[in-house]
Amino acid sequence: MINVTDLRKSYGNHIALHGISFSIQQGEFYGLLGPNGAGKSTTIGIMSMLVSPDSGSVSINNNDIIQHPVECKQTIGVVPQEIALYNELSAIDNLLFWGGLYNVEKSLLKKRIDTTLHLFGLSDRANDKVKTYSGGMKRRINIAAALLHNPKVLFMDEPTVGIDPQSRNLIFEVVQKLHSEGMTIVYTTHYMEEAERFCDRIGIIDNGKIVAQGTLHELKSMGGNQEAVIISGNGITEATAAKMRAAGFIVSTGENQLTFLSHNLKSDLSRIVLMCSEHGIDINDISIRHVNLETVFLSLTGKQLRD
Ligand code: ADP
């Protein structure tokens, strides 16, 4: 359904994408998971025809986005990270505007607007100006706007960042419903939980490269069934983490926290605790976590997903 081949993009001297390639099957829910700055928005922006690549290609439904932009635009719905709505207009008028851009016939458009507003729980606020909406409500309208021409593919760039839990849950419900009805969905996130919960396949992206790709099960087995030992305490510095790395551990630092990966907890745990006390760390909590996408990311990149 979608083929992305060797996408490269620089902003000035900064290389944002180092050659990104992946394919997405029809009806698949594909997640691009990576920390801030990894290149998710640039990748999905190119796929959505909002950003032009320096080189590489994207085809959607067998149409190249450069050679067949009109066909591609009809096939995709795009939810960019920036909310693009007219604050002085009502939700209905905003949706009439967006639907009009896709030449949806007026009576059909009105029907779709009704259905979509209902789907997003906004029917009773439909005539209110968007400026009176919460951030989460605006986000829901933004997604609704992307659906009015009935696209086969939906691109969503971090759609749940900074919104209230009620809107987030509603968005999850709608996206799952669309997926169950056969829509192909491409979804970027830095939330491991979202990728684990929804995606059929996940591409893990870091520093402008896909570092691993597969189903959740496949990715977890790439993590080598390691466990994470999370030490919380005082006296943790980047310098102590570096010494522990030199001793052969994969370690990342968070606020007053060190996360170690271990293939063999039985032998590693006492070594880890000993090393921490030797380096003057005053431990106040130790927890053990089974492998998840966070630990997979750590084992692949040596970093945490959320810095
Ligand atoms: P993500 O969506 O994973 O946070 P982005 O694709 O937004 O990552 O950014 C990738 C890299 O490119 C980052 O280092 C970011 O600072 C840089 N970048 C993104 N957009 C621009 C831009 N318009 N101008 C300059 N640098 C940019």
Side-chain angles (χ1 to χ4, degrees):
M1 178 72 178
I2 302 175
N3 283 308
V4 175
T5 312
D6 202 23
L7 286 186
R8 291 171 192 272
K9 175 78 181 174
S10 293
Y11 296 102
N13 290 331
H14 179 75
I15 303 176
L17 301 185
H18 287 267
I20 294 257
S21 303
F22 55 91
S23 297
I24 300 172
Q25 305 304 314
Q26 185 164 351
E28 203 167 32
F29 196 133
Y30 187 90
L32 267 178
L33 174 73
N36 285 331
K40 304 180 296 295
S41 286
T42 305
T43 305
I44 204 167
I46 294 171
M47 297 167 79
S48 316
M49 310 169 75
L50 301 172
V51 176
S52 47
D54 297 341
S55 63
S57 64
V58 178
S59 73
I60 298 170
N61 220 4
N62 293 321
N63 286 312
D64 182 273
I65 57 168
I66 310 259
Q67 283 157 12
H68 301 284
V70 178
E71 290 86 340
C72 289
K73 278 193 178 142
Q74 285 296 338
T75 309
I76 65 174
V78 179
V79 185
Q81 224 174 69
E82 295 291 313
I83 290 180
L85 295 171
Y86 292 102
N87 273 319
E88 292 298 327
L89 297 183
S90 68
I92 288 199
D93 287 341
N94 266 284
L95 292 174
L96 281 169
F97 170 79
W98 285 104
L101 289 185
Y102 284 97
N103 299 320
V104 183
E105 189 270 316
K106 199 74 177 257
S107 63
L108 180 61
L109 178 58
K110 284 190 168 157
K111 259 191 217 147
R112 286 202 185 139
I113 290 175
D114 265 0
T115 318
T116 322
L117 283 169
H118 181 70
L119 192 65
F120 282 99
L122 289 169
S123 301
D124 55 339
R125 297 288 307 271
N127 289 304
D128 296 350
K129 285 185 180 177
V130 161
K131 70 177 178 190
T132 66
Y133 279 29
S134 70
M137 290 161 74
K138 285 184 190 171
R139 174 62 76 190
R140 285 186 253 161
I141 292 292
N142 218 35
I143 302 172
L147 294 170
L148 296 173
H149 59 297
N150 209 11
K152 289 191 170 67
V153 180
L154 185 62
F155 291 121
M156 306 180 90
D157 192 6
E158 306 225 34
T160 61
V161 168
I163 61 171
D164 58 281
Q166 191 202 350
S167 292
R168 182 177 298 152
N169 287 334
L170 241 161
I171 291 170
F172 290 158
E173 272 174 35
V174 172
V175 170
Q176 277 179 302
K177 181 174 184 295
L178 296 169
H179 178 226
S180 71
E181 290 166 1
M183 192 176 278
T184 306
I185 296 175
V186 186
Y187 189 104
T188 74
T189 183
H190 64 277
Y191 296 122
M192 167 195 84
E193 300 82 0
E194 292 185 3
E196 287 197 342
R197 187 164 153 198
F198 301 118
C199 298
D200 298 320
R201 268 187 326 129
I202 300 156
I204 299 185
I205 179 167
D206 185 44
N207 273 334
K209 290 184 203 132
I210 301 264
V211 292
Q213 187 180 204
T215 62
L216 180 59
H217 181 73
E218 287 164 350
L219 289 169
K220 278 185 175 177
S221 50
M222 271 177 219
N225 287 326
Q226 299 186 87
E227 283 167 300
V229 179
I230 300 152
I231 306 270
S232 305
N234 299 318
I236 292 170
T237 63
E238 205 27 69
T240 42
K243 284 185 192 151
M244 292 171 186
R245 281 185 203 111
F249 282 101
I250 296 177
V251 187
S252 77
T253 49
E255 201 177 331
N256 297 324
Q257 230 177 42
L258 280 175
T259 305
F260 293 79
L261 287 187
S262 166
H263 284 288
N264 186 347
L265 258 191
K266 255 190 180 165
S267 68
D268 285 345
L269 191 56
S270 52
R271 267 185 76 206
I272 289 170
V273 173
L274 189 65
M275 237 176 8
C276 285
S277 67
E278 278 170 8
H279 286 100
I281 294 170
D282 182 15
I283 299 177
N284 49 39
D285 187 58
I286 300 177
S287 60
I288 314 270
R289 202 192 290 144
H290 293 295
V291 66
N292 59 19
L293 285 178
E294 186 85 47
T295 50
V296 172
F297 187 80
L298 176 56
S299 73
L300 290 167
T301 66
K303 293 186 299 193
Q304 289 195 319
L305 257 176
R306 269 176 269 182
D307 293 326

